[in-house]
Amino acid sequence: MFEWKKEYELGHLMLDKEHQELFKIANEAFCVVEPSQKEQKMSSLIQRLSDYFEIHMMHEEDFMDSIGYPGLQNEKKSHDKIKKDFQEWRENHKHKSISTLERELAFNIENTIITHIKFEDMKMRHWCEKYHIDIKGVRWHDTYLLGNDLIDKEHKHLFEIANEAFRYVPAHQRKEKIKNIIHELYKYVIEHFSNEEKYMESINYPALKEHIVIHENIKIKMNEFIKKFSLLSLKEIEDNLALFIEEWVVLHVIHEDSKIAKWELNNK
Ligand SMILES: [Fe+2]
Ligand SMILES: [Fe+2]
Ligand SMILES: [Fe+2]
């Protein structure tokens, strides 16, 4: 099994979450299944792993680019090499036995993905630490565009509001400021979700119901946070703030809303 360790953390919430997700997918290789389902399981796992890795590399490179990281070209090279190796391995894997495949997959994950996170991605963390680059805030990237002007405009604005929460203000004003931002975010999220739902309806998006459930859950969680806000200490608020913003805004836009665009692209 591949175990996630704190020392692999870059300090960037989204990239760290994606790295953890890669570990999770990789670990599925060790789940026991019926012998008759093994082949099917392996090929879907390999597909998911390479799809996820591909998207993740794009996010990582975008982020590095946005902070002017000088190691970006090396990082890209390292990513390309992993992609190439993985692809070559996939092309040859058809003639191998399942047990060989399992062994090789574990070896590949360890020697490419995990080694890469530990040694290459980590260089960026050290660089950020050295030059006091803030790695925490949320950044908009054009790769998040869905192609619908209104929804894209709203997503960008959600990122702007969220980003405000990370901007520096003296400690005695922090709580009040965060409270205002969360309220503003909540109000805007409600409006945006409703527009997005109308949009999904207009294109007959088949997963509309599921998407609405996700929206409802986000609204409930935001509401709970707002309700207990005054009872929380500044430390408790700050500890959770980045995680909430990631969950409510960033990850939702990147992983859920992007499915709408993908579907629309394939069904035009
Ligand atoms: Fe990387
Ligand atoms: Fe959205
Ligand atoms: Fe959404």
Side-chain angles (χ1 to χ4, degrees):
M1 292 285 271
F2 304 110
E3 198 196 333
W4 174 261
K5 294 189 184 125
K6 189 126 183 78
E7 68 201 61
Y8 302 157
E9 260 169 31
L10 295 176
H12 183 282
L13 279 153
M14 183 187 79
L15 296 177
D16 284 332
K17 262 213 188 113
E18 290 182 349
H19 281 163
Q20 282 175 40
E21 186 62 29
L22 282 169
F23 270 64
K24 233 198 262 162
I25 300 174
N27 272 328
E28 284 175 30
F30 300 99
C31 291
V32 185
V33 290
E34 290 272 307
S36 62
Q37 291 171 357
K38 269 192 171 178
E39 204 176 322
Q40 168 65 27
K41 183 195 115 179
M42 269 307 252
S43 61
S44 85
L45 186 72
I46 293 167
Q47 183 65 47
R48 270 173 58 218
L49 197 62
S50 63
D51 284 353
Y52 197 85
F53 195 65
E54 192 112 344
I55 294 173
H56 164 67
M57 285 189 287
M58 199 170 75
H59 292 160
E60 208 170 63
E61 288 170 14
D62 270 349
F63 174 71
M64 290 176 173
D65 193 30
S66 75
I67 57 168
Y69 175 57
L72 175 63
Q73 289 314 319
N74 283 335
E75 179 78 19
K76 275 188 180 164
K77 267 187 213 150
S78 175
H79 285 168
D80 285 345
K81 172 129 186 18
I82 295 176
K83 252 193 276 185
K84 207 175 129 247
D85 288 352
F86 210 71
Q87 209 163 359
E88 268 174 24
W89 177 72
R90 279 183 73 179
E91 273 156 21
N92 296 324
H93 88 262
K94 294 186 183 76
H95 317 290
K96 289 174 187 161
S97 70
I98 291 287
S99 59
T100 311
L101 276 181
E102 282 176 333
R103 218 179 27 228
E104 286 186 0
L105 180 65
F107 180 83
N108 271 341
I109 293 169
E110 177 80 50
N111 282 282
T112 54
I113 301 180
I114 297 179
T115 308
H116 172 81
I117 294 173
K118 278 202 272 191
F119 296 102
E120 294 304 321
D121 294 346
M122 214 37 78
K123 286 181 191 163
M124 174 187 69
R125 188 180 103 183
H126 296 314
W127 181 80
C128 288
E129 278 167 3
K130 194 171 165 197
Y131 295 101
H132 307 289
I133 307 281
D134 171 34
I135 204 168
K136 256 205 216 112
V138 289
R139 284 172 179 79
W140 172 263
H141 298 300
D142 281 347
T143 45
Y144 306 157
L145 289 170
L146 299 195
N148 175 285
D149 290 345
L150 173 71
I151 305 297
D152 285 332
K153 202 180 94 213
E154 290 180 348
H155 282 165
K156 275 188 192 167
H157 190 59
L158 278 173
F159 270 68
E160 275 165 26
I161 303 173
N163 238 328
E164 268 303 307
F166 297 100
R167 230 157 258 154
Y168 176 79
V169 284
H172 67 279
Q173 295 171 358
R174 287 276 310 145
K175 202 170 165 180
E176 191 56 30
K177 192 194 141 192
I178 295 173
K179 189 177 148 194
N180 292 338
I181 291 167
I182 299 291
H183 275 277
E184 196 188 334
L185 197 60
Y186 183 67
K187 242 175 49 202
Y188 199 76
V189 156
I190 304 255
E191 190 189 323
H192 165 63
F193 282 176
S194 142
N195 287 337
E196 199 177 84
E197 285 161 17
K198 276 183 215 140
Y199 167 59
M200 287 187 280
E201 229 183 310
S202 76
I203 58 165
N204 291 321
Y205 182 57
L208 170 67
K209 268 200 188 126
E210 290 88 335
H211 202 110
I212 292 178
V213 172
I214 302 174
H215 284 172
E216 289 305 317
N217 279 330
I218 293 179
K219 283 194 259 180
I220 291 170
K221 282 190 193 157
M222 287 184 95
N223 219 325
E224 278 168 5
F225 186 59
I226 288 172
K227 270 192 192 143
K228 64 178 186 194
F229 195 87
S230 55
L231 305 169
L232 301 172
S233 69
L234 179 59
K235 178 156 186 338
E236 284 169 323
I237 292 167
E238 296 223 297
D239 282 352
N240 286 308
L241 184 71
L243 278 173
F244 283 153
I245 284 179
E246 288 281 321
E247 194 188 326
W248 298 335
V249 179
V250 185
L251 292 177
H252 182 73
V253 171
I254 295 173
H255 293 303
E256 294 304 327
D257 293 347
S258 66
K259 289 181 190 165
I260 311 170
K262 226 185 197 170
W263 180 84
E264 218 194 348
L265 201 72
N266 293 326
N267 290 279
K268 250 177 194 167

